[in-house]
Amino acid sequence: MKDFYTVDICGREEKLPVIPLPSCVNICFFNLHGNVELTEHCAKHVAEKVKKHNPDVLITAESKGLQITHCVARNLGQQFYAVARKTRKLYMQDGIEVQAKTITTGEVQHLYLSAHDVNLIKGKRVAIIDDVISTGAANAALEQLVERAGGTVVCRAFVLAEGDAKDRPDIEYLAAIPLL
């Protein structure tokens, strides 16, 4: 029988499967992929938290942050948002890159930002959006990209804060989940 952790996300109860990582830590796996209703619910509440920071543009890393960021951008009336890719695409040869080592992958990853997205961020107030923050490594990499692109991070917003991330005073989130 699979173990689950139940979390209340702004009045919506979700049962998250508990999954072991190679590092011997268990996580409460949160997945927005394909779940339109849950994504819309979370985006509405994340957008409320982000709005007060008055960002000009949003940024996320592929892939789990994409749909939440898309919906938050729509809710805030923003036409575009920046996406940090995990692989360099042909159209990204003139962009920028940083490295990160996250809890879910356990390996060094590269994040790439296209020249189009660099121009979108330059001189702007930027909100980082993602599904979950844990160690903060992915968030730190996004902050580096924003800084290198000439933007200023004014908000860091997540659906869930995992483990000690819930104690960070510099983030916005909807609910907390433990590392098990």
Side-chain angles (χ1 to χ4, degrees), residues 1-152:
M1 177 179 241
K2 192 173 238 184
D3 289 330
F4 291 89
Y5 179 83
T6 302
V7 62
D8 182 302
I9 304 173
C10 298
R12 181 184 169 116
E13 189 174 282
E14 291 295 320
K15 290 184 185 245
L16 309 180
V18 175
I19 297 176
L21 296 179
S23 62
C24 298
V25 171
N26 292 333
I27 62 168
C28 305
F29 183 65
F30 180 66
N31 186 14
L32 290 171
H33 285 314
N35 192 331
V36 175
E37 189 176 297
L38 178 59
T39 300
E40 293 289 349
H41 173 80
C42 294
K44 173 184 144 190
H45 294 285
V46 169
E48 289 171 6
K49 291 189 174 282
V50 170
K51 186 177 184 177
K52 65 185 174 191
H53 297 279
N54 198 29
D56 301 310
V57 66
L58 310 178
I59 187 172
T60 194
E62 68 176 0
S63 76
K64 287 179 67 190
L66 287 173
Q67 59 269 26
I68 187 78
T69 305
H70 179 93
C71 294
V72 170
R74 185 190 62 233
N75 288 344
L76 295 176
Q78 296 186 1
Q79 187 176 4
F80 295 98
Y81 56 93
V83 179
R85 304 289 306 259
K86 293 182 181 175
T87 57
R88 181 177 292 163
K89 306 299 180 189
L90 287 176
Y91 66 89
M92 301 178 84
Q93 300 309 311
D94 54 355
I96 59 176
E97 87 176 82
V98 297
Q99 294 181 5
K101 183 175 180 181
T102 66
I103 189 172
T104 50
T105 62
E107 298 176 9
V108 173
Q109 293 180 315
H110 295 264
L111 290 179
Y112 303 91
L113 202 58
S114 70
H116 172 272
D117 285 351
V118 168
N119 289 331
L120 185 64
I121 289 171
K122 187 176 182 176
K124 303 285 179 49
R125 298 169 49 83
V126 182
I128 294 172
I129 310 292
D130 212 343
D131 62 335
V132 178
I133 185 169
S134 186
T135 64
N139 177 71
L142 287 171
E143 286 192 37
Q144 287 177 352
L145 280 175
V146 170
E147 288 172 16
R148 288 191 59 205
T152 302

